[in-house]
């Protein structure tokens, strides 16, 4: 049987996934070695990317190609605001700032916002990741920082998606239902690789402050 688009997308991008997963920052986070302030910095950088991504989604809400992917239960901005308030206090907006790699990432999301395939590439890279490895990060963060209802890990909680596994299967079916020719497939895969690179650069930048963020 021919490889599906979802399979191809995962296979071609997996080594870049490994690159993102094995950045020094995420490796330290996964070992529970990052301080609360170091975790908060990642949440802050996520915030700018999701504001851009979800704004792009609203602009494409009536686009027939992008529409099936734009689901309110995925939206993360309110959850991020809740987490940022828990992590930085009520003046969190004055406490955070986008890093240079985050500004580049946001600029790319804005640049492709009128290209549904490009939007799907960025959408896939973030949300499918949040529903997968994100769930591992959530457990580590809960344990390391003792978060409960007050926020901190709301970003990783999807109350509107009771069965994450089933949702991911459906998502991959939606990818396979895209009616793409070879050139379009290549372009979306290329944009997904770029999305991984941009995400990795954001993580590398946070990692530069690891000496300050490592717990004893
Ligand atoms: C601690 C870091 C991470 C861990 C442990 C991790 C782990 C995983 C695992 C186990 C899967 C497979 C899940 C499944 O087949 O259902 C997965 C899928 C995925 N992850 Fe990650 N991940 C991490 C970081 C990231 C990052 C930083 C991104 C993106 C920026 C990302 C994006 C994705 C995507 C898009 C998928 C879906 C692949 C597909 O099925 O097509 N992950 N991750």
């Amino acid at each position: 049987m021919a490889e599906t688009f979802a399979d191809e997308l995962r296979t071609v991008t997996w080594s870049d996934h490994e690159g993102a997963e094995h950045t020094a920052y995420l490796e330290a986070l996964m070992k529970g070695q990052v301080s609360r302030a170091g975790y908060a910095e990642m949440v802050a950088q996520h915030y700018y990317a999701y504001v851009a991504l979800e704004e792009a989604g609203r602009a494409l809400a009536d686009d027939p190609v992008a529409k099936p992917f734009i689901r309110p239960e995925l939206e993360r901005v309110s959850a991020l605001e809740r987490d940022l308030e828990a992590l930085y206090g009520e003046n969190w907006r004055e406490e955070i700032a986008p890093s240079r790699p985050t500004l580049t990432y946001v600029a790319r999301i804005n640049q492709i916002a009128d290209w549904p395939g490009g939007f799907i590439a960025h959408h896939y890279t973030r949300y499918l990741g949040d529903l997968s490895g994100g769930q591992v990060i959530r457990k580590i963060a809960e344990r390391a920082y003792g978060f409960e209802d007050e926020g901190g890990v709301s970003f990783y909680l999807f109350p509107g998606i009771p069965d994450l596994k089933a949702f991911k299967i459906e998502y991959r079916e939606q990818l396979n239902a895209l009616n793409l020719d070879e050139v379009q497939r290549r372009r979306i895969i290329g944009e997904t690789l770029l999305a991984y690179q941009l995400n990795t650069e954001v993580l590398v930048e946070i990692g530069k402050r690891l000496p300050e963020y490592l717990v004893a």
Side-chain angles (χ1 to χ4, degrees):
M1 210 173 76
E3 196 182 35
T4 66
F5 178 56
D7 286 339
E8 187 185 6
L9 189 58
R10 175 162 45 189
T11 309
V12 175
T13 59
W14 199 250
S15 63
D16 293 70
H17 177 278
E18 300 285 280
E21 184 179 342
H22 297 296
T23 48
Y25 173 78
L26 279 186
E27 289 217 317
L29 189 75
M30 296 300 280
K31 289 188 204 141
Q33 293 172 342
V34 170
S35 66
R36 189 181 160 107
Y39 170 75
E41 178 61 19
M42 178 177 69
V43 180
Q45 299 310 317
H46 278 155
Y47 176 70
Y48 301 101
Y50 282 83
V51 167
L53 190 58
E54 291 177 7
E55 220 171 82
R58 275 190 294 281
L60 285 169
D62 294 324
D63 179 89
V65 177
K67 201 183 171 117
F69 292 88
I70 303 166
R71 309 265 289 258
E73 59 270 42
L74 285 174
E75 283 181 12
R76 298 290 87 199
V77 170
S78 319
L80 284 163
E81 289 175 343
R82 212 159 36 247
D83 290 343
L84 287 166
E85 190 170 337
L87 290 159
Y88 289 96
E90 60 179 32
N91 293 328
W92 61 269
R93 282 181 198 276
E94 282 98 75
E95 303 283 326
I96 66 169
S99 68
R100 268 212 295 194
T102 292
L103 290 173
T104 305
Y105 183 21
V106 165
R108 183 61 188 168
I109 293 172
N110 292 336
Q111 191 178 11
I112 55 80
D114 58 354
W115 168 33
F119 169 75
I120 291 167
H122 286 273
H123 189 278
Y124 158 84
T125 307
R126 283 305 331 174
Y127 295 111
L128 232 53
D130 300 333
L131 296 169
S132 308
Q135 299 306 305
V136 188
I137 296 177
R138 180 190 116 205
K139 289 198 191 88
I140 307 264
E142 280 170 345
R143 205 175 321 135
Y145 316 115
F147 294 133
E148 278 173 40
D149 299 347
E150 85 277 18
V153 283
S154 315
F155 174 70
Y156 298 108
L157 302 175
F158 291 86
I161 308 180
D163 185 342
L164 298 188
K165 191 161 178 250
F167 187 94
K168 285 194 279 182
I169 291 170
E170 197 189 317
Y171 191 102
R172 291 165 61 80
E173 280 164 3
Q174 282 173 203
L175 288 172
N176 292 335
L178 290 168
N179 193 12
L180 305 171
D181 63 26
E182 192 49 32
V183 172
Q184 291 166 325
R185 275 166 88 112
R186 295 264 78 78
R187 281 189 76 207
I188 295 176
I189 292 172
E191 189 65 29
T192 306
L193 290 168
L194 179 57
Y196 269 116
Q197 184 191 329
L198 293 167
N199 271 278
T200 303
E201 286 166 2
V202 170
L203 293 166
V204 167
E205 185 68 23
I206 305 175
K208 289 184 186 163
R209 289 173 67 184
L210 258 187
E212 180 191 328
Y213 291 147
L214 284 178
V215 290

